[in-house]
Amino acid sequence: MKENQHSAKKGYHHGDLKTVLLDETARILREEGEAALSLRRLAANVGVSRTAPYHHFRDKQSLLCAVAEEGFERFNRTMEAALKKGRGQAGRRGMLEYVKGYVNFAVRNPEYYDLMYGPQLWHSDSLTDSLVSSARRTLRGNVENIQRWQSRGLVAAGVDALRFSQVSWGTLHGISRLLIDGIYTDSASVKQLCETAADMLWRELNRA
């Protein structure tokens, strides 16, 4: 713990406190779980006064919403990179890059993913407007990608972009949750699982 505290303090610079608080919160969630998280504990870990975090976050709930929002930003950057990587490949291979990018992000970043798509925040009555906007913007971006592909003749014009985005999201979310929750533990088959999902989704995009 002392090593982690030292690392957090060392990384703090004036004007950068919010970023440090978000990063340290994610570390606590990943390594110790939410039960270990409090704004007082967070302040102590990064070496600031116990009231300092309240300049950025009203309470623990708003802090968790901010971490989830950061998760969406990281997720979107990951998926943009996956789409960019897939552009130089045949359509189905590009879809595979997208599938792998999604699943890999979720499995490697459960501290973010659990808040982004878990019930803890979404079943509450105190979601921040910025988190709701981030989540909606992510789905809207997926829909707009499909529509752009349709306008360029890369996928079938008859595909419902919104419904496809919702179903593909549900498919990849389901795979990710099985892996995160330890229900599906055969890591040797994850590659085949992703390939099968990519094949199914690509066929749907190109149905007559």
Side-chain angles (χ1 to χ4, degrees):
M1 174 57 63
K2 290 182 179 179
E3 180 179 351
N4 288 325
Q5 291 178 2
H6 174 72
S7 176
K9 292 178 183 178
K10 184 178 180 181
Y12 171 65
H13 300 284
H14 181 68
D16 193 35
L17 179 57
K18 183 176 181 180
T19 298
V20 173
L21 292 171
L22 289 174
D23 289 345
E24 178 62 8
T25 299
R27 185 202 65 75
I28 293 172
L29 293 172
R30 180 177 62 252
E31 298 180 5
E32 304 175 56
E34 187 190 336
L37 177 65
S38 70
L39 268 70
R40 178 178 294 186
R41 162 83 184 283
L42 188 58
N45 279 17
V46 303
V48 297
S49 71
R50 66 179 60 181
T51 60
Y54 290 95
H55 293 298
H56 298 282
F57 310 107
R58 181 179 64 255
D59 50 24
K60 181 177 176 179
Q61 177 76 0
S62 65
L63 170 63
L64 292 175
C65 285
V67 173
E69 189 174 347
E70 171 70 13
F72 277 111
E73 293 177 4
R74 292 175 179 236
F75 173 79
N76 288 333
R77 290 196 296 268
T78 296
M79 301 315 297
E80 286 172 7
L83 287 171
K84 184 177 180 180
K85 183 177 180 180
R87 285 190 193 117
Q89 305 182 50
R92 184 264 180 191
R93 297 301 303 177
M95 177 60 73
L96 179 58
E97 291 297 335
Y98 184 88
V99 169
K100 290 193 300 183
Y102 187 111
V103 173
N104 286 338
F105 176 89
V107 172
R108 294 172 182 173
N109 301 277
E111 67 275 17
Y112 291 107
Y113 194 78
D114 286 345
L115 291 175
M116 290 163 59
Y117 292 125
Q120 175 185 350
L121 294 181
W122 293 101
H123 285 180
S124 74
D125 296 324
S126 53
L127 284 172
T128 59
D129 292 340
S130 57
L131 173 56
V132 174
S133 295
S134 291
R136 289 176 177 171
R137 188 163 55 249
T138 296
L139 177 59
R140 186 167 61 249
N142 292 337
V143 174
E144 290 172 351
N145 278 332
I146 301 302
Q147 292 172 335
R148 279 195 294 270
W149 295 343
Q150 287 176 318
S151 68
R152 295 164 58 191
L154 300 177
V155 300
V159 173
D160 186 318
L162 173 60
R163 295 297 175 233
F164 177 85
S165 296
Q166 291 170 330
V167 171
S168 61
W169 169 32
T171 300
L172 301 184
H173 177 69
I175 293 172
S176 299
R177 282 258 54 105
L178 289 172
L179 296 171
I180 293 171
D181 295 341
I183 298 171
Y184 188 84
T185 58
D186 183 7
S187 58
S189 299
V190 173
K191 179 180 178 181
Q192 289 81 2
L193 196 62
C194 289
E195 288 179 346
T196 299
D199 286 340
M200 291 172 58
L201 294 173
W202 185 245
R203 282 197 302 269
E204 179 62 18
L205 278 179
N206 287 275
R207 64 181 174 82

